[in-house]
Amino acid sequence: MTKKRTVFLRVIVSVLLVCFALYFLQKLLMPKYVTGIVEGAFVAEYYEEENKDFDVIFVGDCEVYENFSPVVLWEKYGINSYIRGSAEQYIWQSYYLLEDSLRYHVPQAVVFNIQSLQFNESQNEAYNRMSIEGMEWSKSKIGAINASMTEEEHFLDYVFPILRYHSRWNELTEDDFKYMFHSPKVSYNGYFMRVDTRPVETVPEGNALADYSFGDKAWEYLDKMRELCKENGIQLILVKAPSVYPTWYEQYEQQVEDYASKYDLPYYNFLELTEEAGIDYSTDTYDAGLHMNINGAEKLAEYFGKILSEEYGIIDRRGNQELDDIWAENIKEYEEEIDRQCEYYQVDKNTLYRYRESDK
């Protein structure tokens, strides 16, 4: 072997070793979202699904991933659904996550929670990363990054996350080593479960705003979402979850109602449908009205599932052996998590809505 060739091979080996070292360091230093703040894991979990042929896709922030149970949509109506939600998901991120989903399947309906219309710019890098980093690389992820970055962020930090997380050495925990290459599921078809209860005692009054108008960027991406659904023959459905705070102002409501009317879109404000859905703020929320617990999420799914089935013709997929098997495993894991949380929060399992209902 010539000296020149030996040097060349040594250079190649050295480069490969550096690349492998950086890869392992990146895997170690990136947040794992298994305990504590788990919301950053939701987006990536979608890609692990065996069958992505979902008939209903939810997109939005915590007002979808904590307030609707896909398990109940399946159990009651055979609706095969998934929630592509993330913490403080901005509407441009919802749009690109929907666009990304269409690489795999075209659902019959898309449900978008309109809470995020109040934001016209990204508010926080941490929320951007929880919504974007879990996306697989595609033009949709590139679009999401470019639409979301704050002035302090850089595109290369998303391409090579080690540039952003290189200083996490002093924050590393056992989880960072344990879950370097694989993390356990923390959601159930995108739904984040809580079984404990903290009732609503007071409803905070919102402060008066100088301007209640939604911004141009927010409207632009709602238009893009509507047009994308129209191009693909998808029914777009707008919803507002029954969260009693942050304040949903009448001025916000009017703008959404006007938009829905202009484009003939269905809009369901569950703040106004709590009685019909059976929501009880003394038993159905775990944080005094910001999010539903499992009782509220199952009641909303049961109520909304009937609407999806009867008014929008979402088909009942029960009887499809492949889906039946997948959902049987999903339900088993869901029930196991209920048992785990009931023990942890010291909740009597038999007081939960799904078990009271099963006895009828």
Side-chain angles (χ1 to χ4, degrees):
M1 183 181 293
T2 66
K3 184 177 180 181
K4 189 174 182 180
R5 187 176 179 186
T6 300
V7 171
F8 176 74
L9 288 175
R10 286 177 178 174
V11 170
I12 294 296
V13 170
S14 297
V15 169
L16 288 174
L17 288 173
V18 170
C19 289
F20 277 118
L22 289 174
Y23 171 75
F24 280 100
L25 281 174
Q26 181 167 283
K27 284 289 189 180
L28 174 63
L29 292 170
M30 287 186 68
K32 305 305 185 290
Y33 304 116
V34 175
T35 57
I37 299 173
V38 300
E39 290 87 342
F42 297 164
V43 169
E45 288 187 349
Y46 165 80
Y47 302 104
E48 299 175 10
E49 291 297 315
E50 298 175 49
N51 187 324
K52 296 184 180 66
D53 184 22
F54 298 109
D55 298 305
V56 178
I57 289 287
F58 292 77
V59 287
D61 55 17
C62 56
E63 292 203 356
V64 289
Y65 70 72
E66 298 206 51
N67 291 341
F68 296 91
S69 170
V71 162
V72 170
L73 289 175
W74 175 261
E75 288 180 323
K76 297 282 186 177
Y77 305 102
I79 293 174
N80 191 32
S81 66
Y82 201 94
I83 300 173
R84 298 214 69 185
S86 54
E88 201 167 297
Q89 186 183 108
Y90 307 115
I91 186 171
W92 39 95
Q93 295 164 355
S94 297
Y95 169 78
Y96 286 111
L97 281 166
L98 172 58
E99 184 182 78
D100 176 65
S101 301
L102 297 187
R103 295 192 296 137
Y104 300 96
H105 62 100
V106 177
Q108 289 182 262
V110 166
V111 180
F112 171 60
N113 186 79
I114 45 75
Q115 175 75 21
S116 63
L117 283 171
Q118 64 186 291
F119 298 111
N120 202 50
E121 299 293 340
S122 297
Q123 305 295 300
N124 187 294
E125 180 195 3
Y127 286 127
N128 281 346
R129 289 191 170 274
M130 284 194 281
S131 294
I132 296 171
E133 282 185 336
M135 293 179 71
E136 291 185 345
W137 279 101
S138 67
K139 70 180 183 66
S140 299
K141 180 167 182 171
I142 293 170
I145 294 170
N146 286 326
S148 301
M149 284 189 300
T150 62
E151 291 183 1
E152 294 76 23
E153 292 182 84
H154 306 282
F155 187 88
L156 275 179
D157 290 349
Y158 284 92
V159 180
F160 304 108
I162 193 172
L163 298 174
R164 177 64 182 83
Y165 296 118
H166 66 275
S167 61
R168 277 195 73 237
W169 289 106
N170 61 342
E171 300 174 15
L172 294 179
T173 68
E174 183 181 344
D175 281 356
D176 289 295
F177 294 91
K178 185 177 180 180
Y179 302 117
M180 273 182 67
F181 299 103
H182 181 73
S183 299
K185 283 204 319 183
V186 295
S187 76
Y188 300 87
N189 279 53
Y191 166 62
F192 177 63
M193 182 194 301
R194 285 285 292 267
V195 305
D196 50 321
T197 298
R198 183 183 166 200
V200 174
E201 295 178 352
T202 59
V203 179
E205 290 188 16
N207 297 322
L209 305 182
D211 185 4
Y212 295 89
S213 301
F214 298 142
D216 291 341
K217 184 176 179 180
W219 286 124
E220 174 193 354
Y221 275 92
L222 184 55
D223 283 339
K224 287 168 71 73
M225 188 181 297
R226 174 178 53 79
E227 290 163 2
L228 182 64
C229 287
K230 184 177 180 180
E231 289 168 6
N232 287 276
I234 301 167
Q235 174 66 66
L236 176 60
I237 302 172
L238 307 179
V239 299
K240 171 67 185 75
S243 303
V244 298
Y245 67 94
T247 302
W248 182 249
Y249 297 97
E250 291 182 9
Q251 294 89 338
Y252 289 175
E253 178 70 6
Q254 191 60 56
Q255 290 173 82
V256 176
E257 289 181 356
D258 290 345
Y259 186 91
S261 177
K262 179 179 180 180
Y263 293 107
D264 194 27
L265 295 175
Y267 170 49
Y268 299 91
N269 184 343
F270 289 105
L271 278 167
E272 299 174 354
L273 295 169
T274 53
E275 185 175 344
E276 293 88 337
I279 298 298
D280 181 344
Y281 286 110
S282 69
T283 61
D284 297 345
T285 173
Y286 74 88
D287 53 7
L290 180 58
H291 308 104
M292 297 287 99
N293 60 18
I294 190 172
N295 290 332
E298 294 202 337
K299 288 177 182 179
L300 275 182
E302 185 172 2
Y303 178 78
F304 191 42
K306 185 176 182 181
I307 292 172
L308 291 171
S309 176
E310 295 182 357
E311 297 189 22
Y312 301 102
I314 307 301
I315 58 176
D316 185 339
R317 301 284 294 279
R318 289 171 295 185
N320 178 312
Q321 189 60 56
E322 182 180 5
L323 287 179
D324 284 344
D325 291 343
I326 290 171
W327 276 103
E329 182 61 28
N330 290 346
I331 293 167
K332 176 177 176 289
E333 293 173 355
Y334 186 84
E335 296 279 357
E336 288 172 351
E337 178 64 9
I338 291 173
D339 289 338
R340 188 194 70 79
Q341 288 199 25
C342 282
E343 181 178 358
Y344 181 82
Y345 292 111
Q346 298 185 332
V347 172
D348 181 356
K349 179 177 174 179
N350 294 319
T351 65
L352 298 179
Y353 177 69
R354 74 183 285 105
Y355 299 101
R356 296 201 309 270
E357 288 295 293
S358 66
D359 292 337
K360 292 183 180 179

